Amino acid sequence: MDEKLQVNIGRGLLLKNPVMTASGTFGYGSEYNEFVDLNHLGGIIVKGLSLKPSKGNPPPRIVETPSGMLNAIGLENVGIDAFISEKLPFLKQFQTPVITNIYGRDMDEYAALALRVEETEGIAGVEVNISCPNVKLGGIAFGADPDSAHRVVQAVRNQTTKHVMVKLSPNVTDIVEIASGVEDAGADSLSLINTLTGMAVDIDTCCPKLANITGGLSGPAIKPIAVYMVYHTAKALDIPIVGCGGIISANDALEFIMAGASAVQVGTANLTNPQATLDVLEGIEQFMKQEGIQDISEIIGAAH
Ligand SMILES: Cc1cc2nc3c(=O)[nH]c(=O)nc-3n(C[C@H](O)[C@H](O)[C@H](O)COP(=O)(O)O)c2cc1C
């Protein structure tokens, strides 16, 4: 293990390097096994899981946009039980922490999911999705209001001693207000950002391009917003931050790290370059070598 790349994102969760996968863009890990040695990743965050399996939204659910994409998958997933029995055994063979992204329609579901994680060996923690713009119940309904965000995180915290990362939405007026409530509720780290709500219209049919009408915008188009939100939140709070949004290269990841992120998540880039995570990691190592940086902690939050 290369110690100079190690980062501690809270509650003793030590990542061998700062590069993780963003939920929903890396399946359950096995889908990328032929492209990426999963042992090289800092952490694997799997597709958002609910208590029961979900088919998600009807198609079309994806639209390409300039420098990005809109998705309205609507959290299609196998459900926590099938994940634990069918997907987790594969992931357990790797020396990489697995974090389950969880999503509930109400507080009780979030709590029940957290309890399943607590009881299951081989899962390092949860990423609590209170920021999905593509579902009717839960998701952003919790993440846009400081009080609801606080209560969801408290419900999760009460059920687990494992790492609790909370994924924040950019679709809010003041992200620091939400972040601070979530920190008070016992979160160990924050991940930001989830997608920005967007829409595209087909001018030939005069219809929205997505069956769901709106979707979440991701990819390089959102990177400056994400970097700003990481910088702004990191300046205001002490909790470790995991930066996400439009990272396709090491330079992008370094921007987030210098803005204050202790680790990063690579999302949409995996869909066009299945080795994006490893390319980002290799580039960070090269940059550190070239600049004589002994430890990644030297550059976390270094932007001034
Ligand atoms: C197809 C797709 C599915 C996603 N599914 C989830 C999900 O299940 N849970 C979640 O918290 N975020 C989900 N996201 C959001 C990403 O994890 C990430 O926060 C967002 O896309 C911004 O990062 P990026 O620009 O690198 O993709 C999804 C994004 C995409 C593009």
Side-chain angles (χ1 to χ4, degrees):
M1 194 182 287
D2 190 347
E3 285 176 13
K4 64 181 192 299
L5 283 170
Q6 274 181 15
V7 290
N8 186 338
I9 57 165
R11 198 164 280 253
L13 184 55
L14 194 63
L15 309 181
K16 58 176 121 34
N17 67 64
V19 182
M20 311 174 89
T21 60
S23 179
T25 63
F26 207 74
Y28 301 104
S30 56
E31 295 87 339
Y32 280 78
N33 192 36
E34 63 177 296
F35 307 107
V36 175
D37 180 346
L38 301 184
N39 269 323
H40 287 169
L41 297 174
I44 299 169
I45 305 189
V46 297
K47 174 67 191 163
L49 294 164
S50 43
L51 266 189
K52 298 269 177 291
S54 165
K55 286 199 173 79
N57 290 326
R61 323 195 275 187
I62 282 183
V63 176
E64 195 170 337
T65 60
S67 299
M69 65 183 274
L70 284 167
N71 93 80
I73 304 293
L75 298 173
E76 175 183 356
N77 76 98
V78 297
I80 188 88
D81 291 333
F83 169 75
I84 291 170
S85 59
E86 294 163 23
K87 311 287 183 187
L88 188 61
F90 167 81
L91 289 169
K92 273 187 180 172
Q93 64 184 296
F94 302 99
Q95 309 303 310
T96 300
V98 172
I99 295 181
T100 50
N101 179 287
I102 58 168
Y103 150 75
R105 284 169 302 174
D106 55 38
M107 304 275 171
D108 292 344
E109 266 190 45
Y110 277 104
L113 285 158
L115 183 60
R116 291 291 281 131
V117 168
E118 176 67 12
E119 293 166 346
T120 308
E121 193 209 326
I123 303 179
V126 288
E127 179 179 49
V128 189
N129 180 1
I130 51 167
S131 46
C132 182
N134 302 324
V135 288
K136 291 198 171 56
L137 291 166
I140 184 66
F142 290 117
D145 171 59
D147 185 47
S148 314
H150 180 92
R151 283 188 292 123
V152 172
V153 176
Q154 220 167 30
V156 168
R157 178 78 288 163
N158 286 342
Q159 299 300 327
T160 183
T161 55
K162 293 184 178 180
H163 187 94
V164 174
M165 179 185 296
V166 181
K167 185 148 180 191
L168 301 183
S169 173
N171 302 308
V172 295
T173 310
D174 182 0
I175 198 165
V176 172
E177 192 187 8
I178 310 278
S180 157
V182 161
E183 183 183 29
D184 288 347
D188 299 304
S189 66
L190 304 173
S191 52
L192 51 142
I193 57 174
N194 207 321
T195 53
L196 284 134
T197 303
M199 178 177 172
V201 175
D202 181 333
I203 57 165
D204 295 322
T205 61
C206 198
C207 285
K209 288 187 177 173
L210 292 166
N212 189 54
I213 303 178
T214 59
L217 181 66
S218 64
I222 71 170
K223 192 188 74 176
I225 300 168
V227 172
Y228 158 68
M229 288 193 159
V230 164
Y231 181 79
H232 186 44
T233 310
K235 279 268 175 285
L237 305 174
D238 288 330
I239 187 168
I241 292 176
V242 179
C244 176
I247 297 175
I248 60 168
S249 69
N251 286 2
D252 296 332
L254 287 161
E255 275 193 60
F256 277 90
I257 292 169
M258 290 179 187
S262 299
V264 293
Q265 297 175 1
V266 177
T268 301
N270 293 305
L271 310 182
T272 48
N273 170 16
Q275 292 176 332
T277 45
L278 295 188
D279 291 350
V280 167
L281 175 60
E282 206 178 292
I284 292 176
E285 283 178 295
Q286 265 168 22
F287 177 83
M288 287 172 63
K289 208 165 168 185
Q290 187 185 307
E291 300 296 322
I293 297 159
Q294 301 302 321
D295 193 297
I296 188 102
S297 61
E298 288 171 36
I299 52 170
I300 296 175
H304 55 278

